[in-house]
Amino acid sequence: REPVRRPDLADVPQELQSRVTGASHGNLAAVREHVGRDARLSFSLSSDDELAIEACAHTGARPIIRYHLDQGAPLSLPTAVSLGDLAAVAFWLERDASLIHERGAHDFPLLWFALLGEEKPGTAVEMAELLVMHGAAPDQETMGSTTLHLCAKHDVRDLAAYLLEQG
């Protein structure tokens, strides 16, 4: 809840930043290896404009998210949703209702991140309820797919049922 102070990465090759961001999709060992040598790399930005922490947020790689956060990387709303952090999400949405329209990496809607944030049964539905209560559209899509499509792909039936109930 403090302003983010991004380190200067002008001396870090773009290829290395892209490698860290790529590893952040799911390879904690590689992330630790790179960031362990230079903590600034948690702020890496790939050549296609994706932050390292955004990479692990949209894949639901919670250990990597937490590692980047421990290094000072910023916690965005999509990342908080991916972590299943109901308190942080409620805080932001109550503070600024327009944030419900925020989209994550690759233009994924917030409801996608709710599915990724399911650590135990029912938590995705709880997050989805919070998001829908604040105005998230249940049928919001990106690249022709909705969260319902993602639920079918990952066999997340309770969230799928909730989304169908919401239209």
Side-chain angles (χ1 to χ4, degrees), residues 50 74 86 106 115 143 148:
E50 178 180 37
L86 288 162
H106 309 293
L115 177 118
M143 296 182 278
L148 185 57

Side-chain angles (χ1 to χ4, degrees), residues 28-159:
L28 179 57
V31 171
R32 285 183 189 269
E33 180 182 331
H34 290 300
V35 176
R37 283 183 256 164
D38 184 350
R40 297 178 307 156
L41 292 175
S42 272
F43 288 83
S44 290
L45 184 66
S46 72
S47 57
D48 64 349
D49 207 31
E50 178 180 37
L51 284 170
I53 195 162
E54 292 175 328
C56 45
H58 80 77
T59 60
R62 280 179 219 83
I64 301 173
I65 294 171
R66 290 184 183 107
Y67 182 78
H68 281 308
L69 290 172
D70 288 346
Q71 305 308 310
L75 177 65
S76 67
L77 182 57
T79 303
V81 173
S82 184
L83 282 171
D85 190 340
L86 288 162
V89 172
F91 171 82
W92 279 330
L93 293 175
E94 288 164 13
R95 193 168 181 206
D96 183 353
S98 71
L99 291 176
I100 196 63
H101 304 293
E102 187 171 336
R103 311 246 326 170
H106 309 293
D107 197 38
F108 295 149
L110 289 176
L111 278 172
W112 281 46
F113 293 90
L115 177 118
L116 299 169
E118 177 150 274
E119 210 159 12
K120 57 185 180 192
T123 56
V125 173
E126 202 174 350
M127 183 62 77
E129 289 171 341
L130 176 65
L131 295 172
V132 169
M133 180 179 75
H134 281 88
D139 60 349
Q140 198 172 30
E141 66 176 64
T142 189
M143 296 182 278
S145 294
T146 66
T147 306
L148 185 57
H149 292 105
L150 197 60
C151 287
K153 179 179 178 183
H154 294 281
D155 196 28
V156 180
R157 295 172 189 207
D158 58 344
L159 181 57

